[in-house]
Amino acid sequence: MFKWRNVAEFWGMLLVLIVVGCGRSVTTLAELEKAATALDLSPAEIDWEAVAGGELLDVEKSTLKFGFIKLTDCAPLVIAKEKGYFEEEGLNVEIEAQSNWKVLLDRVIDGQLDGAHMLAGQPIGATIGFGTKAHIITAYSLDYNGNAITVSNDIWKQMQEVEPALKSPHPPHPITAHALKPIVEGYRQAGKDFNMGMVFPVSTHNYELRYWLAAAGIHPGYYTQENIAGTLDAEVVLSVTPPPQMPATLEAGTILGYCVGEPWNQQAVVKGIGVPITTNYDIWKNNPEKVFGVSADWDAKYPNTHLAVVKALIRAGKWLDETNEAGELVNRPEAVEILSRKDYVGADAAVIAKSMTGSFVFQPTDVRPMAEFNVFFSGFASYPHYSDCVWFLTQMRRWGQITEAHPEEWYSEVAREVYKPEIYRQAAELLILDGKLTEADIPLASYEGYRPASNEFIDGNSYDGRDPLGYLQSFEIGIKD
Amino acid sequence: MSWRGGLLKFCSVTGLPALEPFVRLAYGEDPQEQFRGIAKYILLPGLAIVVFLACWSVAAKTIVTDSMQLPGPMATWSAGTELFSMHFEQKARDREKVAEQMQQAVTMVATANAMLAKAESVEDGALKQRLEGNASVMKRQAVDTANYTSSSAPTFVEQIYTSLKTVFFGFGIATLIAVPLGLMCGMSPWFNAAMTPFIQVFKPVSPLAWLPLAGLIIIWAYSGSKPGETFFDKAFLISAVTVSLCSLWPTLVNTTLGVASVNQDYLNVARVLKLSWSQRLFKIVLPASLPLMFAGLRISLGVGWMVLIAADMLAQNPGLGKFVWDEFQNGSNVTYARIAFSVIVIGVLGLLLDRAMICLRNLVSYDNPATA
C-alpha cells in the first residue's frame, strides 16, 4: 500500500537537515558590549598611538574571496593570508584555486570573486575589449619574470644537432630560437604543424614566446578580426593550455614546447619530459608578469577595502623579497613550504624550491644562479608602472589583437584607465605612517610611472614606454602601424 | 512483530540482503543453508576484492610513465587517511581561531569604549572627533570579527558534504519537474505527443554541454545582486541546475510509462465507483505507477551523481569534482593517490545513494523486484 506519511516524513527530515546545516547564529554588538563590560581593560593597555594617531581605515567589506591559478607567482596573495597581513587589516580572505584564466576572469567580472591573481594582459585586454569586455583595474603588480620556455626532449636533441654548442652540459645562454628555425622548417616541409603551448591569448607567455620566436625570424602568426586563434601566416602554431596541464600535454605529444610560469618548467625537468631552454628574464630583464586585478565597479564600491588589500599585499611582497647581508632571500624557504600545500600551488616543495630560492635548473647538469627569476618587490616590482601597461598594448597591436592603429596618446590613456598607481601610493603611505614600510621602498613622489628606456631584450631592441609607435616600427616581424 | 521478522524486514527494505543469513543463523535456522548464503554474499565478494587488490598492486608496479605512476592500494589508503586527518586538524585549528577572534572582538569593543570615555575628557576638538570616529569603526569591525567564519579552503570531507547537498538539491528540482510532467504525459497521449520531441532531443545531451547554458541563466538571474546577499551561491546553483537538467529525463520517461501502463481494470473500477479526478490520481494511478517511477528516480539519482562530478570540475563549485581537478592540477607525488582515493569515495557514495533510493522505494511501494 502506498503511504503518503512516509514520503512526507522523508522530505521533512531532509528539510530539517538542510536547515540545520545552513543556519548559524550571529553575534550582535549588544552581546559584545555585555562581554566587554566584564573585561577589565585599563587605559594603559591601549596603544593610543595606533587607535588615535590617524583615522582607522573603515573597511566596507571584510569577508573576501580571491581567485588564483596554481603558479608560484600567486605568492603575495598566499603569503598575505598565511602571514596574517590580511587579518591585520581586518580582512577575512579565502583564496580559491580556479581551473583556468577564462573562468577566473569571468568570476571576477560577475562578482563571484572579489579580486584575483591575473595575467597582466587580462585587465588590459578586458578593458579595451579583446575577449570579454569589462573594466578591470589593477593597483598592485604581483611580480617580475618567472616564466620559461620548455621544449620536449626530442626537439632539444634536434636543436643540439643544429647547434653543436648546445651539446655541452653547460651550454651558452641565452639560447635563442635560431637553432629551432631549421627544425620548424623541416616540420613545415613535411606538412606537419609545429605546435607550442601558451596559457592565454593575452598572457605574457603568449607575447614572450612570440617575441622569442620572432627574434629568430620564426613567424608566430597574426590575430585578425576573423582569425581569433592568432594563426594567420603562422610557422609555429600556438594554442592555449592551462598551466598545470602543460607537462602532461607535452608528454602526450600534443605540443612540442611551451611557455609557462613556475613550477611547470621545473616539473618537466624533474619528471624528465622536457628541457627549459630560456627564461623570460633572458627575453626581457625584469618584465612584468602577474597583477592583482579587481573590477572597476568593485573598487568604486569598496575603496577602503581595496586600500586594505593593497596594504597587505605590499607587506607580503616585501616579506618575500627580504634579504640578509649576504643577499640571500631569507624568507623564500618558508614561502616554498607554504606554497606547496595542496590548497595553494600544491606541487612538491622540492620542485617549487628549484626556481624560488635563487637559482634555476635548466638541465640537471645546468643549474644557474638566478636570484632575479622571481622578483616580487625589490626594484619597485610591485608598483603598477604605466610603461608596463604600454608594453602589453604594443604587443597586442604588433600581433593584431588590437585590430586598428591608434595614436600615441591612446596608449597612455589606456594605461591610466587600467593601472592605478594612486591607490598603490596611498596604501604605501599608510604603511609608512605605521612604520611598516620606508620611503625608499616606493618610487619618488615625482615619478611619472614610466620605467627608464631599456634595451635588455633578447633581440637588443630598445623599449621606451613614451614612444610606443616608434617601438612598433623597430620590429622586423609584426604590424608596424 | 517478532524481532526476527523485524530484522528480516529491515534487511529487505534497506536493500541489504547480505545481512539476512546472519539474522537467520542467529535464530538457529538451517545452518548449512545460511552458510551458503554467507559464502555467496560475503565470502565470494570478499575474495573478488582480494583478487582485485592483487591485480591493482601489480598494475601499480607496471603502469609508470616519466611523470606519473598509478598509485597502489596502500598508497591510496594512506593518502585517504591523510585527507581525513587533515580535515580534523583543520577543524581543530578553525575552532581555535573562532574562539580567538571572539576574544579579540570583545577586546576591540572594550578598547572602543575606553576611546569613547577618553573622548569625553579631551579638549582638542579634532582629536575628540577622531577618537569617536575610530571607536565607531572599531565597533563595527568588532562585530565582523566576532562573526568570523573560517576562510580556509574546504577540506575533503567538506567537499563530500557540498557534493551531496548539490546532488540532492538538483535531484529535488528534477523530481519536482519530472514527476508532474510525467503524470501529465502518461495520462494524456496528446500532451505526450507534444512533449516527445523535447524529451527525445534533450535526453541524450551531455552535462558538459548544458553547463555553459545553465551558467548563463543563473548569472542572468543573479545579475544586479551582490555576492553574499543571495541565499545560494551562483556556482552551487549552476552545478545543481546542470544536475537537474541531466537527471530529470529518466524519471520523466519512466513516470510516463508507469502511468500509461496502469492496468485498465483498475481504471474501469474507478469509473464504476465514480471516483473524482483527484481520487483516481491518488488512489489508483500514482500507487500503481510507483514501482516504475522509482526505477526512474533511482536512475536519475545515479545520473545526477555522475553529472555532478563533471559539473563541479568545470563550474568551480566546491565539491568532489573540484577536489579531483585541483589535485590533478597540483601534480605532486601524492596527487594520483588522492585521486584514486576520491574515485573510491565517489563510488561508495554513489552506492549509498542508490541504496537510499531502494530503501525509500521499499518504504512506499510494494511489488518491487528483489534487490541485487
Side-chain angles (χ1 to χ4, degrees):
Chain A
M1 199 186 71
F2 174 68
K3 289 184 196 154
W4 280 107
R5 208 172 51 95
N6 287 328
V7 180
E9 265 174 20
F10 175 79
W11 286 107
M13 259 156 61
L14 203 66
L15 196 73
V16 169
L17 277 177
I18 290 172
V19 169
V20 169
C22 294
R24 31 172 272 262
S25 63
V26 177
T27 312
T28 61
L29 183 59
E31 284 163 353
L32 287 174
E33 292 275 11
K34 212 165 122 194
T37 49
L39 189 74
D40 195 19
L41 195 70
S42 76
E45 285 175 57
I46 297 170
D47 180 1
W48 288 104
E49 182 55 36
V51 297
E55 258 174 53
L56 284 181
L57 203 55
D58 190 5
V59 172
E60 301 92 350
K61 184 176 187 216
S62 62
T63 303
L64 304 172
K65 193 194 253 185
F66 295 148
F68 76 100
I69 296 286
K70 289 175 177 279
L71 290 163
T72 52
D73 50 22
C74 69
L77 279 171
V78 173
I79 294 302
K81 176 176 165 69
E82 289 293 322
K83 299 300 285 181
Y85 298 145
F86 281 138
E87 215 176 286
E88 282 177 39
E89 300 297 333
L91 302 171
N92 178 21
V93 177
E94 180 182 348
I95 300 184
E96 190 188 68
Q98 308 295 309
S99 53
N100 60 56
W101 291 113
K102 164 119 177 75
V103 164
L104 174 139
L105 181 64
D106 287 348
R107 282 165 62 94
V108 170
I109 292 171
D110 74 28
Q112 294 185 63
L113 295 172
D114 293 291
H117 162 229
M118 282 186 189
L119 294 159
Q122 277 187 307
I124 306 169
T127 302
I128 64 173
F130 178 73
T132 318
K133 181 158 175 63
H135 191 182
I136 305 285
I137 61 168
T138 176
Y140 187 90
S141 167
L142 290 168
D143 67 322
Y144 282 164
N145 312 324
N147 300 328
I149 295 173
T150 295
V151 294
S152 69
N153 292 331
D154 180 44
I155 296 295
W156 176 240
K157 272 202 201 85
Q158 295 185 42
M159 285 176 76
Q160 286 175 322
E161 295 302 320
V162 174
E163 214 168 289
L166 296 180
K167 277 187 183 156
S168 132
H170 207 77
H173 278 258
I175 297 174
T176 64
H178 287 103
L180 195 65
K181 197 169 163 59
I183 303 168
V184 171
E185 266 157 21
Y187 265 80
R188 280 166 61 76
Q189 262 154 22
K192 284 188 287 184
D193 280 339
F194 193 95
N195 294 311
M196 289 184 89
M198 47 87 180
V199 307
F200 202 65
V202 297
S203 68
T204 340
H205 317 83
N206 186 17
Y207 305 127
E208 279 163 1
L209 192 51
R210 282 164 179 272
Y211 203 105
W212 182 73
L213 292 168
I218 303 174
H219 203 302
Y222 288 123
Y223 291 83
T224 62
Q225 209 107 50
E226 293 79 35
N227 192 332
I228 48 169
T231 51
L232 182 72
D233 297 338
E235 287 167 1
V236 168
V237 178
L238 304 184
S239 58
V240 171
T241 307
Q245 273 121 275
M246 285 291 186
T249 317
L250 184 75
E251 196 180 9
T254 317
I255 51 176
L256 301 165
Y258 55 74
C259 179
V260 75
E262 279 308 308
W264 308 114
N265 296 291
Q266 290 308 316
Q267 193 80 294
V269 180
V270 171
K271 314 247 158 161
I273 54 177
V275 180
I277 49 178
T278 186
T279 66
N280 60 343
Y281 184 71
D282 283 332
I283 297 172
W284 175 17
K285 284 196 174 45
N286 290 334
N287 63 95
E289 175 54 39
K290 301 281 168 16
V291 296
F292 174 74
V294 302
S295 78
D297 291 341
W298 187 90
D299 170 70
K301 229 183 281 175
Y302 312 115
N304 288 342
T305 311
H306 197 182
L307 267 183
V309 171
V310 174
K311 276 174 78 181
L313 288 175
I314 292 176
R315 291 181 65 194
K318 190 173 159 70
W319 182 87
L320 276 161
D321 272 6
E322 222 150 84
T323 50
N324 59 12
E325 289 97 33
E328 286 162 6
L329 295 157
V330 284
N331 291 326
R332 292 293 178 89
E334 188 183 340
V336 166
E337 186 278 316
I338 293 173
L339 287 172
S340 70
R341 295 181 195 164
K342 84 171 176 59
D343 297 320
Y344 299 133
V345 180
D348 296 328
V351 176
I352 297 177
K354 280 186 198 305
S355 71
M356 280 280 281
T357 49
S359 60
F360 189 86
V361 182
F362 288 91
Q363 297 172 68
T365 54
D366 188 14
V367 184
R368 286 164 192 260
M370 203 169 261
E372 293 186 309
F373 181 74
N374 279 123
V375 180
F376 294 102
F377 191 74
S378 52
F380 310 139
S382 64
Y383 186 91
H385 304 276
Y386 291 135
S387 56
D388 292 347
C389 181
V390 173
W391 187 80
F392 283 102
L393 290 168
T394 62
Q395 299 304 304
M396 288 175 182
R397 177 62 192 142
R398 179 182 181 190
W399 301 117
Q401 291 180 336
I402 295 172
T403 46
E404 52 206 86
H406 288 283
E408 206 162 286
E409 309 83 68
W410 181 82
Y411 288 85
S412 62
E413 275 162 22
V414 172
R416 279 176 172 73
E417 222 175 301
V418 180
Y419 277 47
K420 301 289 176 191
E422 55 275 16
I423 297 174
Y424 182 94
R425 199 170 273 286
Q426 205 182 338
E429 272 157 10
L430 288 172
L431 285 173
I432 292 171
L433 273 182
D434 292 347
K436 284 166 183 148
L437 203 68
T438 59
E439 293 278 0
D441 287 330
I442 58 168
L444 296 173
S446 60
Y447 179 65
E448 286 174 24
Y450 285 84
R451 290 205 270 159
S454 153
N455 62 355
E456 292 178 312
F457 287 83
I458 198 159
D459 56 359
N461 250 1
S462 174
Y463 167 64
D464 179 0
R466 293 175 197 276
D467 181 21
L469 299 183
Y471 185 57
L472 279 174
Q473 295 283 340
S474 69
F475 294 115
E476 258 170 51
I477 298 180
I479 296 171
K480 295 180 199 297
D481 269 342
Chain B
M1 207 189 302
S2 71
W3 270 102
R4 179 180 161 279
L7 285 170
L8 286 180
K9 182 145 189 288
F10 173 82
C11 293
S12 77
V13 166
T14 52
L16 294 169
L19 297 180
E20 215 181 288
F22 289 101
V23 176
R24 290 187 188 275
L25 197 62
Y27 282 92
E29 284 177 43
D30 180 13
Q32 206 176 353
E33 195 184 323
Q34 304 320 319
F35 282 124
R36 268 169 59 97
I38 292 174
K40 183 177 161 198
Y41 286 121
I42 308 283
L43 296 182
L44 194 62
L47 192 68
I49 290 174
V50 170
V51 172
F52 169 73
L53 288 177
C55 292
W56 183 7
S57 302
V58 173
K61 294 212 172 59
T62 334
I63 303 180
V64 181
T65 72
D66 284 340
S67 64
M68 296 164 276
Q69 186 189 358
L70 185 74
M74 283 316 289
T76 305
W77 175 252
S78 63
T81 48
E82 194 198 347
L83 283 175
F84 276 88
S85 65
M86 275 160 88
H87 167 74
F88 292 114
E89 280 163 28
Q90 182 68 54
K91 287 294 111 183
R93 270 202 301 276
D94 286 350
R95 272 196 300 278
E96 224 168 86
K97 183 91 193 190
V98 167
E100 207 177 277
Q101 293 279 322
M102 185 57 92
Q103 192 63 41
Q104 199 192 334
V106 173
T107 317
M108 280 164 84
V109 171
T111 312
N113 285 336
M115 284 155 72
L116 287 176
K118 185 166 174 149
E120 296 280 314
S121 61
V122 292
E123 303 289 306
D124 179 359
L127 179 63
K128 187 179 172 127
Q129 209 173 9
R130 201 157 62 216
L131 275 169
E132 282 171 355
N134 281 354
S136 82
V137 169
M138 200 177 263
K139 280 196 181 175
R140 221 175 44 68
Q141 284 180 352
V143 177
D144 279 353
T145 312
N147 291 307
Y148 170 89
T149 46
S150 163
S151 58
S152 50
T155 64
F156 185 63
V157 179
E158 286 169 313
Q159 304 281 37
I160 293 178
Y161 176 69
T162 315
S163 278
L164 287 174
K165 212 166 67 175
T166 317
V167 84
F168 273 117
F169 191 79
F171 175 66
I173 300 176
T175 308
L176 288 180
I177 298 172
V179 170
L181 218 55
L183 284 175
M184 288 196 281
C185 286
M187 290 198 289
S188 152
W190 286 89
F191 187 75
N192 194 13
M195 294 304 293
T196 301
F198 299 103
I199 297 173
Q200 297 305 333
V201 168
F202 291 138
K203 196 172 63 167
V205 174
S206 148
L208 307 186
W210 282 120
L211 190 77
L213 293 177
L216 171 77
I217 292 167
I218 299 297
I219 288 168
W220 164 77
Y222 268 16
S223 59
S225 60
K226 276 188 253 168
E229 287 178 4
T230 48
F231 189 70
F232 294 113
D233 224 25
K234 271 185 220 168
F236 170 79
L237 277 186
I238 294 172
S239 284
V241 168
T242 310
V243 167
S244 338
L245 280 174
C246 294
S247 71
L248 64 85
W249 309 109
T251 308
L252 179 51
V253 171
N254 269 29
T255 308
T256 307
L257 186 65
V259 173
S261 55
V262 171
N263 195 328
Q264 195 58 43
D265 289 346
Y266 298 169
L267 295 174
N268 290 340
V269 170
R271 205 162 294 145
V272 169
L273 293 177
K274 294 207 167 78
L275 293 185
S276 72
W277 184 84
S278 66
Q279 276 176 320
R280 210 173 66 204
L281 178 66
F282 288 110
K283 300 279 181 203
I284 311 264
V285 174
L286 261 183
S289 56
L290 268 183
L292 265 173
M293 200 191 287
F294 263 95
L297 285 170
R298 220 179 120 189
I299 303 172
S300 278
L301 190 58
V303 168
W305 184 241
M306 282 212 287
V307 164
L308 175 74
I309 304 300
D312 277 351
M313 281 190 181
L314 290 168
Q316 288 290 309
N317 180 40
L320 283 168
K322 179 159 164 45
F323 175 84
V324 170
W325 196 244
D326 280 355
E327 269 309 325
F328 174 57
Q329 299 215 328
N330 281 349
S332 75
N333 279 334
V334 287
T335 285
Y336 288 95
R338 283 184 185 154
I339 292 178
F341 183 75
S342 357
V343 165
I344 293 170
V345 169
I346 292 168
V348 170
L349 287 173
L351 172 75
L352 291 179
L353 289 178
D354 194 49
R355 291 291 126 156
M357 284 308 293
I358 291 175
C359 180
L360 186 65
R361 179 197 68 184
N362 290 345
L363 281 176
V364 297
S365 88
Y366 290 86
D367 278 345
N368 298 312
T371 316

